[in-house]
Amino acid sequence: MKKIKKAKILSLLLAAALIFALLPSAAFAASGDGYIDLTDSTTASGTGWTYSGNVFTVTGDVTITGTTTTNRVVVQSDADVSITFNNASIDMSTLVSNEYCAFDMTGAKVKLTLLGANALASGNNKAGLQVPSDASLTITAASSTDSLVVVGGENSAGIGGGKDGSGGIITINGGTIMVQGGSRGAGIGAGLSGMSGGTIAINGGAVTATGGGYGAGIGGGDVGHNGGTITISGGTVEAIGGYGGAAIGGGGFGAGGVTTISGGTVDAKGGHQGAGIGGGNHGIGGIIAISGGTVEAAGGNYGAGIGGGEGGRGSNITINGGTVAATGGGWGAGIGGGEHGSGGTISISAGTITAQGGEKGAGIGGGSNGDGEDTTISGGTVAAQGGVQGAGIGGGALRAGGTVIISGGMVEATRGASSNKSDIGPGYDGTDGTVTITGGSVNCTSATDKILPQPTNGNGADIYLNTLTVGSPVLKNAAIAAGSIDGVNCSATSNAAGGVYGIKDVGTGAAGKVYFYLPVATAQKVALTANGSIYAATYTRTVYGSTETLVLATGGNNGGGSGGSGGSSGGGNDGSKPVVPPSTQLPKTGDGAGAAWLLCAAGIALAFALGKKRQGAR
């Protein structure tokens, strides 16, 4: 797959060069003030540039056009310039010395605007577009069809650092950008042994970035420290890790760095042993925060979808929005650790999340032979499926479930096949951790041993599954706006000490049910508000769990309480007698409104009597 992808990018580069080569020379003017024709090797200088020894040195704002396999561009160090590529192509990869950079902006600040089809390729140890740690590049485009194809030399990034070089500040705001890192270099980020991928921001455009062997698609190169700081807020991003590299994050032996995704569409495919988003092989996931956008992340074999590479802990993962689908490679968790990696600290508070563990990995938690560590879910819609022998949420095969706390959201967990353990808790032959549920609808789909060990409510009491069908006929896919349990109002935020059950983001789902975990009790009422109506039942809760149907109440909101996602408030009738709808309630006597109402009623009665009289006269 990666050979095909690299061949595709190289063919694009060659095609661009061929197009420019076939253009008549008259199509380009000679170089002049503010204008560089790459085919012109005779003009010595113009406003914003000079030329000597096959090098155009840029000192001011210029437009660059033409195609060359002999001339290259260097932006003067400390320059702050705007450059437009107008069908420009520079290919240094075929020179005998093979160690020239097509476009080197070391120490400079460049705003690059794309017009038409543009291409850059460098020789060994040089990035295709060299943006080292002391440089800053911003790419924009006149339209979405304006493009740039970049190929890095061996040991170097496509855009970013050369050999031993970290990436600089790289911002992409538009255009179609296709980047291929050289062997051991990132697509966008660091070269071989570069300490960091730099500071990379993608705000728009269509970006495809592929790492060379042991390089990340976006982030670190081989033997680097981390992927740097990567922010994606818009655009369409496809990132593909080289062998041993994450798609977004660390290269070989590198941590994920800091990755923030707040928007856009992201497709991240880790290389063998690398995470989709997170660490390269033997690299931890780093700090990963997702708050928006559509994200698909798949780990290579042994890597997590989101989290650690092979042998890497998930580290620190926060999801509070967006639509996220994470799939672990063989032996990696969907979200959490790679093979032999624990889940790390995982927090989910909002969004729609689907997590599929690879073989022996948890859906959310540890990879194969990895503990679940610390997982907290307080909101969102979460579906977690363990791989073979892995828990849905908790430990990978042979490892403990860690600490799982659920206080809100709609959670569905399923252990993998051949697991003798739990949907939530340890993986196959793993030891128990702790499971605390203070809110949320928690549906564990296996027939037995759904949660291990026995879950508690955070206040010292064991709790048991209550499967509650809402309505008869069943009310499907409805949000729970408010509720109460034994007269104690539910809330968006649970409070174990006060007995307040959390209902943030809880709904009835396609089955029209909610799955609450509650302590045993005798004849206690549960009431829930959905679609503006109250559904309630009084029943006894046992250690064997309970299955009840909440029916439409004849009264008010039955102590509906403060809302979940709907934010409704409580108060109202106790359900023992009918409530007169507000539109038909009689006003209090003696006030102005009452007098007006009585006058109105008298007028209606008079009109009715006159009508009947006329009708009788006919």
Side-chain angles (χ1 to χ4, degrees):
M1 177 63 184
K2 294 174 179 57
K3 290 181 179 178
I4 294 173
K5 178 65 71 173
K6 184 171 183 179
K8 180 180 178 182
I9 291 179
L10 288 172
S11 67
L12 287 170
L13 178 63
L14 292 173
L18 180 61
I19 291 170
F20 298 143
L22 292 174
L23 288 172
S25 58
F28 302 118
S31 299
D33 289 340
Y35 184 87
I36 295 174
D37 180 353
L38 294 168
T39 66
D40 182 1
S41 299
T42 59
T43 307
S45 64
T47 301
W49 62 273
T50 62
Y51 177 78
S52 177
N54 298 112
V55 177
F56 287 98
T57 300
V58 176
T59 58
D61 297 349
V62 295
T63 293
I64 301 175
T65 192
T67 183
T68 182
T69 58
T70 56
N71 294 326
R72 52 199 170 93
V73 173
V74 175
V75 181
Q76 179 176 285
S77 181
D78 298 327
D80 184 349
V81 296
S82 295
I83 297 175
T84 299
F85 277 0
N86 185 354
N87 293 312
S89 176
I90 305 172
D91 184 1
M92 295 285 100
S93 65
T94 60
L95 294 181
V96 175
S97 68
N98 207 26
E99 287 200 10
Y100 289 120
C101 179
F103 190 99
D104 186 352
M105 48 173 290
T106 300
K109 183 176 181 180
V110 173
K111 179 181 178 182
L112 179 62
T113 301
L114 305 177
L115 289 175
N118 305 277
L120 300 170
S122 292
N124 293 340
N125 303 320
K126 305 295 183 183
L129 200 170
Q130 192 143 301
V131 189
S133 58
D134 60 353
S136 174
L137 169 70
T138 300
I139 299 177
T140 59
S143 73
S144 60
T145 59
D146 297 307
S147 64
L148 175 64
V149 177
V150 185
V151 179
E154 295 295 303
N155 305 319
S156 304
I159 299 176
K163 182 182 178 183
D164 300 320
S166 297
I169 299 174
I170 301 166
T171 303
I172 299 174
N173 292 327
T176 298
I177 317 296
M178 292 166 283
V179 187
Q180 170 70 59
S183 177
R184 309 182 78 180
I188 301 174
L192 167 66
S193 299
M195 287 297 291
S196 166
T199 301
I200 302 165
I202 300 175
N203 304 315
V207 179
T208 301
T210 303
Y214 292 96
I218 301 173
D222 189 18
V223 201
H225 187 262
N226 63 67
T229 299
I230 302 165
T231 303
I232 299 173
S233 62
T236 301
V237 180
E238 181 182 10
I240 303 163
Y243 186 103
I248 299 174
F253 302 96
V258 179
T259 300
T260 302
I261 300 174
S262 60
T265 300
V266 179
D267 184 2
K269 299 180 179 68
H272 183 73
Q273 302 178 339
I277 300 173
N281 67 334
H282 298 287
I284 64 173
I287 299 173
I288 301 167
I290 300 173
S291 61
T294 300
V295 180
E296 292 189 16
N301 275 344
Y302 308 103
I306 298 174
E310 180 189 17
R313 175 175 175 263
S315 199
N316 193 321
I317 302 167
T318 301
I319 301 174
N320 58 15
T323 300
V324 180
T327 304
W331 293 275
I335 299 174
E339 186 195 25
H340 291 285
S342 64
T345 300
I346 302 168
S347 176
I348 299 172
S349 60
T352 301
I353 296 94
T354 303
Q356 169 68 61
E359 184 176 358
K360 300 189 178 182
I364 299 175
S368 176
N369 286 283
D371 293 335
E373 208 167 342
D374 294 304
T375 301
T376 301
I377 300 173
S378 60
T381 300
V382 180
Q385 168 71 58
V388 174
Q389 300 187 358
I393 300 173
L398 307 176
R399 302 301 291 184
T403 299
V404 179
I405 300 173
I406 300 173
S407 61
M410 294 180 64
V411 180
E412 181 176 285
T414 305
R415 64 176 178 257
S418 302
S419 176
N420 65 349
K421 285 295 183 178
S422 56
D423 294 332
I424 300 177
Y428 174 84
D429 270 355
T431 56
D432 293 343
T434 62
V435 180
T436 303
I437 300 175
T438 62
S441 177
V442 183
N443 181 19
C444 297
T445 64
S446 298
T448 60
D449 296 331
K450 296 174 181 291
I451 300 177
L452 293 175
Q454 180 66 44
T456 66
N457 67 353
N459 199 32
D462 289 343
I463 51 177
Y464 305 90
L465 174 63
N466 286 241
T467 302
L468 306 176
T469 301
V470 180
S472 180
V474 175
L475 187 65
K476 298 180 180 180
N477 298 312
I480 301 300
S484 66
I485 298 173
D486 191 29
V488 178
N489 290 339
C490 299
S491 173
T493 303
S494 67
N495 181 345
V500 178
Y501 198 83
I503 56 171
K504 178 186 176 186
D505 296 336
V506 170
T508 61
K513 302 177 187 292
V514 296
Y515 305 87
F516 287 177
Y517 276 79
L518 304 170
V520 296
T522 301
Q524 286 191 355
K525 178 186 285 186
V526 175
L528 299 175
T529 300
N531 286 359
S533 297
I534 311 304
Y535 299 84
T538 299
Y539 65 97
T540 296
R541 305 194 296 263
T542 73
V543 296
Y544 303 106
S546 302
T547 300
E548 291 291 333
T549 298
L550 307 186
V551 298
L552 186 65
T554 57
N557 75 358
N558 295 276
S562 56
S565 57
S568 300
S569 60
N573 192 277
D574 65 1
S576 60
K577 26 182 164 174
V579 174
V580 181
S583 60
T584 60
Q585 287 185 17
L586 292 176
K588 296 178 183 178
T589 59
D591 59 16
W597 190 90
L598 290 172
L599 287 171
C600 180
I604 293 171
L606 178 60
F608 180 79
L610 290 173
K612 293 287 285 184
K613 184 176 181 180
R614 292 193 190 100
Q615 191 176 28
R618 286 178 181 174

PDB file of all heavy atoms in Angstrom, residues 205-236:
ATOM      1  N   GLY A 205      -7.900  23.227   3.218  1.00  0.00           N
ATOM      2  CA  GLY A 205      -7.254  22.545   2.106  1.00  0.00           C
ATOM      3  C   GLY A 205      -7.458  21.051   2.156  1.00  0.00           C
ATOM      4  O   GLY A 205      -8.106  20.500   3.051  1.00  0.00           O
ATOM      5  N   ALA A 206      -6.879  20.377   1.165  1.00  0.00           N
ATOM      6  CA  ALA A 206      -6.884  18.915   1.097  1.00  0.00           C
ATOM      7  C   ALA A 206      -5.435  18.457   1.178  1.00  0.00           C
ATOM      8  O   ALA A 206      -4.640  18.718   0.273  1.00  0.00           O
ATOM      9  CB  ALA A 206      -7.527  18.442  -0.199  1.00  0.00           C
ATOM     10  N   VAL A 207      -5.085  17.794   2.265  1.00  0.00           N
ATOM     11  CA  VAL A 207      -3.696  17.455   2.553  1.00  0.00           C
ATOM     12  C   VAL A 207      -3.544  15.939   2.618  1.00  0.00           C
ATOM     13  O   VAL A 207      -4.253  15.261   3.366  1.00  0.00           O
ATOM     14  CB  VAL A 207      -3.236  18.072   3.884  1.00  0.00           C
ATOM     15  CG1 VAL A 207      -1.785  17.694   4.181  1.00  0.00           C
ATOM     16  CG2 VAL A 207      -3.396  19.588   3.846  1.00  0.00           C
ATOM     17  N   THR A 208      -2.603  15.414   1.843  1.00  0.00           N
ATOM     18  CA  THR A 208      -2.229  14.006   1.925  1.00  0.00           C
ATOM     19  C   THR A 208      -0.752  13.944   2.280  1.00  0.00           C
ATOM     20  O   THR A 208       0.089  14.470   1.550  1.00  0.00           O
ATOM     21  CB  THR A 208      -2.471  13.269   0.589  1.00  0.00           C
ATOM     22  OG1 THR A 208      -3.857  13.363   0.251  1.00  0.00           O
ATOM     23  CG2 THR A 208      -2.080  11.807   0.711  1.00  0.00           C
ATOM     24  N   ALA A 209      -0.440  13.329   3.414  1.00  0.00           N
ATOM     25  CA  ALA A 209       0.947  13.276   3.882  1.00  0.00           C
ATOM     26  C   ALA A 209       1.315  11.845   4.223  1.00  0.00           C
ATOM     27  O   ALA A 209       0.662  11.204   5.046  1.00  0.00           O
ATOM     28  CB  ALA A 209       1.128  14.169   5.104  1.00  0.00           C
ATOM     29  N   THR A 210       2.389  11.349   3.586  1.00  0.00           N
ATOM     30  CA  THR A 210       2.829   9.976   3.777  1.00  0.00           C
ATOM     31  C   THR A 210       4.256   9.964   4.285  1.00  0.00           C
ATOM     32  O   THR A 210       5.142  10.603   3.705  1.00  0.00           O
ATOM     33  CB  THR A 210       2.759   9.200   2.441  1.00  0.00           C
ATOM     34  OG1 THR A 210       1.426   9.265   1.932  1.00  0.00           O
ATOM     35  CG2 THR A 210       3.156   7.752   2.644  1.00  0.00           C
ATOM     36  N   GLY A 211       4.490   9.258   5.379  1.00  0.00           N
ATOM     37  CA  GLY A 211       5.832   9.164   5.921  1.00  0.00           C
ATOM     38  C   GLY A 211       6.664   8.138   5.192  1.00  0.00           C
ATOM     39  O   GLY A 211       6.154   7.145   4.667  1.00  0.00           O
ATOM     40  N   GLY A 212       7.973   8.367   5.154  1.00  0.00           N
ATOM     41  CA  GLY A 212       8.878   7.335   4.674  1.00  0.00           C
ATOM     42  C   GLY A 212       9.030   6.261   5.738  1.00  0.00           C
ATOM     43  O   GLY A 212       8.425   6.333   6.807  1.00  0.00           O
ATOM     44  N   GLY A 213       9.808   5.232   5.474  1.00  0.00           N
ATOM     45  CA  GLY A 213       9.999   4.172   6.451  1.00  0.00           C
ATOM     46  C   GLY A 213      10.396   4.732   7.806  1.00  0.00           C
ATOM     47  O   GLY A 213      11.358   5.502   7.895  1.00  0.00           O
ATOM     48  N   TYR A 214       9.655   4.396   8.857  1.00  0.00           N
ATOM     49  CA  TYR A 214       9.867   4.844  10.230  1.00  0.00           C
ATOM     50  C   TYR A 214       9.566   6.338  10.427  1.00  0.00           C
ATOM     51  O   TYR A 214       9.909   6.896  11.466  1.00  0.00           O
ATOM     52  CB  TYR A 214      11.278   4.508  10.712  1.00  0.00           C
ATOM     53  CG  TYR A 214      11.495   3.021  10.860  1.00  0.00           C
ATOM     54  CD1 TYR A 214      12.090   2.296   9.835  1.00  0.00           C
ATOM     55  CD2 TYR A 214      11.072   2.343  11.994  1.00  0.00           C
ATOM     56  CE1 TYR A 214      12.265   0.916   9.941  1.00  0.00           C
ATOM     57  CE2 TYR A 214      11.243   0.967  12.102  1.00  0.00           C
ATOM     58  CZ  TYR A 214      11.842   0.263  11.080  1.00  0.00           C
ATOM     59  OH  TYR A 214      12.000  -1.106  11.182  1.00  0.00           O
ATOM     60  N   GLY A 215       8.928   6.938   9.463  1.00  0.00           N
ATOM     61  CA  GLY A 215       8.500   8.325   9.621  1.00  0.00           C
ATOM     62  C   GLY A 215       6.987   8.409   9.773  1.00  0.00           C
ATOM     63  O   GLY A 215       6.244   7.582   9.236  1.00  0.00           O
ATOM     64  N   ALA A 216       6.517   9.390  10.523  1.00  0.00           N
ATOM     65  CA  ALA A 216       5.077   9.634  10.625  1.00  0.00           C
ATOM     66  C   ALA A 216       4.562  10.300   9.359  1.00  0.00           C
ATOM     67  O   ALA A 216       5.316  10.960   8.638  1.00  0.00           O
ATOM     68  CB  ALA A 216       4.788  10.522  11.831  1.00  0.00           C
ATOM     69  N   GLY A 217       3.277  10.137   9.084  1.00  0.00           N
ATOM     70  CA  GLY A 217       2.692  10.914   8.001  1.00  0.00           C
ATOM     71  C   GLY A 217       2.807  12.399   8.314  1.00  0.00           C
ATOM     72  O   GLY A 217       3.286  13.192   7.514  1.00  0.00           O
ATOM     73  N   ILE A 218       2.381  12.771   9.524  1.00  0.00           N
ATOM     74  CA  ILE A 218       2.533  14.131  10.034  1.00  0.00           C
ATOM     75  C   ILE A 218       3.123  14.020  11.425  1.00  0.00           C
ATOM     76  O   ILE A 218       2.521  13.399  12.307  1.00  0.00           O
ATOM     77  CB  ILE A 218       1.185  14.871  10.104  1.00  0.00           C
ATOM     78  CG1 ILE A 218       0.533  14.945   8.715  1.00  0.00           C
ATOM     79  CG2 ILE A 218       1.354  16.275  10.661  1.00  0.00           C
ATOM     80  CD1 ILE A 218      -0.881  15.516   8.723  1.00  0.00           C
ATOM     81  N   GLY A 219       4.327  14.581  11.644  1.00  0.00           N
ATOM     82  CA  GLY A 219       4.932  14.520  12.975  1.00  0.00           C
ATOM     83  C   GLY A 219       6.412  14.219  12.941  1.00  0.00           C
ATOM     84  O   GLY A 219       7.182  14.917  12.298  1.00  0.00           O
ATOM     85  N   GLY A 220       6.811  13.170  13.632  1.00  0.00           N
ATOM     86  CA  GLY A 220       8.218  12.884  13.837  1.00  0.00           C
ATOM     87  C   GLY A 220       8.842  11.995  12.791  1.00  0.00           C
ATOM     88  O   GLY A 220       8.176  11.199  12.131  1.00  0.00           O
ATOM     89  N   GLY A 221      10.179  12.123  12.642  1.00  0.00           N
ATOM     90  CA  GLY A 221      10.956  11.208  11.826  1.00  0.00           C
ATOM     91  C   GLY A 221      11.463  10.057  12.676  1.00  0.00           C
ATOM     92  O   GLY A 221      11.121   9.914  13.858  1.00  0.00           O
ATOM     93  N   ASP A 222      12.269   9.202  12.084  1.00  0.00           N
ATOM     94  CA  ASP A 222      12.809   8.052  12.808  1.00  0.00           C
ATOM     95  C   ASP A 222      13.765   8.522  13.911  1.00  0.00           C
ATOM     96  O   ASP A 222      14.501   9.499  13.736  1.00  0.00           O
ATOM     97  CB  ASP A 222      13.548   7.137  11.829  1.00  0.00           C
ATOM     98  CG  ASP A 222      13.945   5.805  12.449  1.00  0.00           C
ATOM     99  OD1 ASP A 222      13.376   5.442  13.501  1.00  0.00           O
ATOM    100  OD2 ASP A 222      14.827   5.135  11.879  1.00  0.00           O
ATOM    101  N   VAL A 223      13.746   7.826  15.034  1.00  0.00           N
ATOM    102  CA  VAL A 223      14.609   8.095  16.181  1.00  0.00           C
ATOM    103  C   VAL A 223      14.448   9.545  16.646  1.00  0.00           C
ATOM    104  O   VAL A 223      15.400  10.189  17.085  1.00  0.00           O
ATOM    105  CB  VAL A 223      16.089   7.790  15.862  1.00  0.00           C
ATOM    106  CG1 VAL A 223      16.876   7.566  17.161  1.00  0.00           C
ATOM    107  CG2 VAL A 223      16.244   6.546  15.000  1.00  0.00           C
ATOM    108  N   GLY A 224      13.251  10.064  16.524  1.00  0.00           N
ATOM    109  CA  GLY A 224      12.976  11.411  17.012  1.00  0.00           C
ATOM    110  C   GLY A 224      12.400  11.356  18.411  1.00  0.00           C
ATOM    111  O   GLY A 224      11.982  10.305  18.902  1.00  0.00           O
ATOM    112  N   HIS A 225      12.346  12.495  19.050  1.00  0.00           N
ATOM    113  CA  HIS A 225      11.824  12.544  20.419  1.00  0.00           C
ATOM    114  C   HIS A 225      10.306  12.505  20.435  1.00  0.00           C
ATOM    115  O   HIS A 225       9.701  11.730  21.178  1.00  0.00           O
ATOM    116  CB  HIS A 225      12.335  13.812  21.108  1.00  0.00           C
ATOM    117  CG  HIS A 225      11.987  13.877  22.560  1.00  0.00           C
ATOM    118  ND1 HIS A 225      10.909  14.589  23.028  1.00  0.00           N
ATOM    119  CD2 HIS A 225      12.553  13.304  23.639  1.00  0.00           C
ATOM    120  CE1 HIS A 225      10.829  14.461  24.347  1.00  0.00           C
ATOM    121  NE2 HIS A 225      11.817  13.691  24.736  1.00  0.00           N
ATOM    122  N   ASN A 226       9.648  13.338  19.622  1.00  0.00           N
ATOM    123  CA  ASN A 226       8.179  13.328  19.585  1.00  0.00           C
ATOM    124  C   ASN A 226       7.674  13.962  18.298  1.00  0.00           C
ATOM    125  O   ASN A 226       8.442  14.540  17.525  1.00  0.00           O
ATOM    126  CB  ASN A 226       7.590  14.046  20.797  1.00  0.00           C
ATOM    127  CG  ASN A 226       7.963  15.515  20.854  1.00  0.00           C
ATOM    128  OD1 ASN A 226       7.544  16.306  20.007  1.00  0.00           O
ATOM    129  ND2 ASN A 226       8.768  15.901  21.848  1.00  0.00           N
ATOM    130  N   GLY A 227       6.355  13.846  18.098  1.00  0.00           N
ATOM    131  CA  GLY A 227       5.742  14.358  16.876  1.00  0.00           C
ATOM    132  C   GLY A 227       5.594  15.858  16.821  1.00  0.00           C
ATOM    133  O   GLY A 227       5.213  16.401  15.791  1.00  0.00           O
ATOM    134  N   GLY A 228       5.898  16.550  17.914  1.00  0.00           N
ATOM    135  CA  GLY A 228       5.743  18.002  17.953  1.00  0.00           C
ATOM    136  C   GLY A 228       4.341  18.389  18.372  1.00  0.00           C
ATOM    137  O   GLY A 228       3.617  17.635  19.030  1.00  0.00           O
ATOM    138  N   THR A 229       3.933  19.588  17.968  1.00  0.00           N
ATOM    139  CA  THR A 229       2.596  20.103  18.273  1.00  0.00           C
ATOM    140  C   THR A 229       1.806  20.172  16.981  1.00  0.00           C
ATOM    141  O   THR A 229       2.154  20.938  16.075  1.00  0.00           O
ATOM    142  CB  THR A 229       2.687  21.496  18.921  1.00  0.00           C
ATOM    143  OG1 THR A 229       3.427  21.403  20.138  1.00  0.00           O
ATOM    144  CG2 THR A 229       1.304  22.039  19.228  1.00  0.00           C
ATOM    145  N   ILE A 230       0.764  19.376  16.891  1.00  0.00           N
ATOM    146  CA  ILE A 230      -0.006  19.239  15.650  1.00  0.00           C
ATOM    147  C   ILE A 230      -1.441  19.660  15.934  1.00  0.00           C
ATOM    148  O   ILE A 230      -2.092  19.121  16.836  1.00  0.00           O
ATOM    149  CB  ILE A 230       0.034  17.790  15.134  1.00  0.00           C
ATOM    150  CG1 ILE A 230       1.487  17.352  14.892  1.00  0.00           C
ATOM    151  CG2 ILE A 230      -0.796  17.647  13.866  1.00  0.00           C
ATOM    152  CD1 ILE A 230       1.657  15.854  14.740  1.00  0.00           C
ATOM    153  N   THR A 231      -1.951  20.613  15.150  1.00  0.00           N
ATOM    154  CA  THR A 231      -3.308  21.116  15.323  1.00  0.00           C
ATOM    155  C   THR A 231      -4.045  21.034  13.998  1.00  0.00           C
ATOM    156  O   THR A 231      -3.560  21.523  12.980  1.00  0.00           O
ATOM    157  CB  THR A 231      -3.293  22.575  15.805  1.00  0.00           C
ATOM    158  OG1 THR A 231      -2.560  22.666  17.024  1.00  0.00           O
ATOM    159  CG2 THR A 231      -4.708  23.083  16.044  1.00  0.00           C
ATOM    160  N   ILE A 232      -5.229  20.423  14.018  1.00  0.00           N
ATOM    161  CA  ILE A 232      -6.061  20.337  12.815  1.00  0.00           C
ATOM    162  C   ILE A 232      -7.425  20.922  13.164  1.00  0.00           C
ATOM    163  O   ILE A 232      -8.119  20.435  14.060  1.00  0.00           O
ATOM    164  CB  ILE A 232      -6.220  18.880  12.337  1.00  0.00           C
ATOM    165  CG1 ILE A 232      -4.846  18.286  11.987  1.00  0.00           C
ATOM    166  CG2 ILE A 232      -7.146  18.817  11.132  1.00  0.00           C
ATOM    167  CD1 ILE A 232      -4.878  16.805  11.675  1.00  0.00           C
ATOM    168  N   SER A 233      -7.816  21.988  12.451  1.00  0.00           N
ATOM    169  CA  SER A 233      -9.085  22.648  12.725  1.00  0.00           C
ATOM    170  C   SER A 233     -10.005  22.680  11.516  1.00  0.00           C
ATOM    171  O   SER A 233     -11.164  23.111  11.630  1.00  0.00           O
ATOM    172  CB  SER A 233      -8.842  24.078  13.214  1.00  0.00           C
ATOM    173  OG  SER A 233      -8.195  24.842  12.206  1.00  0.00           O
ATOM    174  N   GLY A 234      -9.530  22.247  10.358  1.00  0.00           N
ATOM    175  CA  GLY A 234     -10.359  22.267   9.166  1.00  0.00           C
ATOM    176  C   GLY A 234      -9.687  21.541   8.023  1.00  0.00           C
ATOM    177  O   GLY A 234      -8.576  21.024   8.146  1.00  0.00           O
ATOM    178  N   GLY A 235     -10.380  21.498   6.901  1.00  0.00           N
ATOM    179  CA  GLY A 235      -9.832  20.844   5.725  1.00  0.00           C
ATOM    180  C   GLY A 235     -10.052  19.342   5.747  1.00  0.00           C
ATOM    181  O   GLY A 235     -10.720  18.784   6.621  1.00  0.00           O
ATOM    182  N   THR A 236      -9.466  18.693   4.745  1.00  0.00           N
ATOM    183  CA  THR A 236      -9.499  17.239   4.637  1.00  0.00           C
ATOM    184  C   THR A 236      -8.072  16.735   4.720  1.00  0.00           C
ATOM    185  O   THR A 236      -7.221  17.126   3.912  1.00  0.00           O
ATOM    186  CB  THR A 236     -10.133  16.798   3.303  1.00  0.00           C
ATOM    187  OG1 THR A 236     -11.470  17.312   3.227  1.00  0.00           O
ATOM    188  CG2 THR A 236     -10.174  15.287   3.188  1.00  0.00           C
TER     189      THR A 236
END
